[in-house]
Amino acid sequence: MKAITLRSPGGLDRLELVELPDPGQPGPGEIRVRIHASSLNFHDLGVVSGAMPVADNRIPMSDGAGVVEAIGEGVDEFAVGDAVVSTFFPHWLDGEAPIADFSTTPGDGVDGYACELVVRPATAFTHSPRGYSHAQAATLTTAGLTAWRALIYNGGLKAGDSVLVLGTGGVSIFALQFAKAMGATVIATSSSDEKLEHARALGASHTINYCSQAQWASRVLDFTGGCGVDHVIEVGGPGTLAQSIQACRIGGHIALIGVLTGGAGVVPTAALMKRQQRLQGLIVGNRRQQNELVRAIEATGIFPVIDRSFTLETIADAFRLQKAGGHFGKISLEF
């Protein structure tokens, strides 16, 4: 089978298209899946760039979607021909997070989905939403579930709430779509006026170009009558957190899901305390949450926004586009 491997210590020039042995037939509790698509995430970029070191010849990509080709003994949740999508934490099935690293995450601690075939435990997948292409389904593993957990599970989003999404990457655009479907008002930021137009077309009520309006928190306060938003999808980290705290209402919720401006920095703890806000870090979610996300998608008719699609052979070009920030929503691989 065709696969992409990453030679240590990483770098886009160290991604190689190789032929690997067929993984064989599934054993008890396992399924064999023909992978047709994946999608790019910031975590994947960290792996392939060498910023997050992995084992030599690791198969990258945490997201995978495809078709079940065979099932092992004892598997009754899936049948041959079912469309399925992978989970980010294959062993985190329900409840609170039992892990604080990526040792079990495909494409990092174990081989991922930049390959044509896998044999994995059935619990490492869920059904894909009805009507989704494989490329669309592959966006749910990381970005879709992160936005869903941040707003619905951790945030308790309800109709009439207000949500601030930072940037127009995969998680932020999913958060915009989920918030609108739940009856919330959305404010979106970007450095691109063109991307902000796309965000308005998706339902953003207010937009802010953070390059021309560096103190964007004050604009959020203007839009909310001085109160601030109920929820912030915080993807920047230390470089944006201070303004996110200012832009969030007293007692509001800030979901810390990204570190695009750095892995460490000053946290304005006094401001957070005075505003009595809840700052919660999270990494994706569990399998039960993904199953419920799939049901919600089927009920609401939400489809992901995919900017461009690449092949396995052009995976490095896909990551170059991601690194340059030239995309809106998700970037996919189809094969």
Side-chain angles (χ1 to χ4, degrees), residues 49-68:
S49 67
M52 301 174 67
V54 295
D56 193 32
N57 293 318
R58 171 67 75 227
I59 299 174
M61 307 308 294
S62 60
D63 303 356
V67 177
V68 176

Side-chain angles (χ1 to χ4, degrees), residues 22-112:
D22 186 292
Q25 294 303 304
E30 294 180 331
I31 58 176
R32 173 184 167 104
V33 179
R34 171 64 164 88
I35 302 297
H36 287 284
S38 184
S39 74
L40 277 63
N41 301 285
F42 183 72
H43 177 261
D44 300 306
L45 178 60
V47 169
V48 300
S49 67
M52 301 174 67
V54 295
D56 193 32
N57 293 318
R58 171 67 75 227
I59 299 174
M61 307 308 294
S62 60
D63 303 356
V67 177
V68 176
E69 287 192 342
I71 60 173
E73 181 183 353
V75 174
D76 55 13
E77 185 176 356
F78 301 108
V80 173
D82 282 352
V84 294
V85 56
S86 66
T87 59
F88 190 87
F89 291 111
H91 307 293
W92 182 18
L93 306 185
D94 200 354
E96 297 296 322
I99 188 169
D101 59 34
F102 302 110
S103 59
T104 62
T105 297
D108 191 327
V110 298
D111 281 337

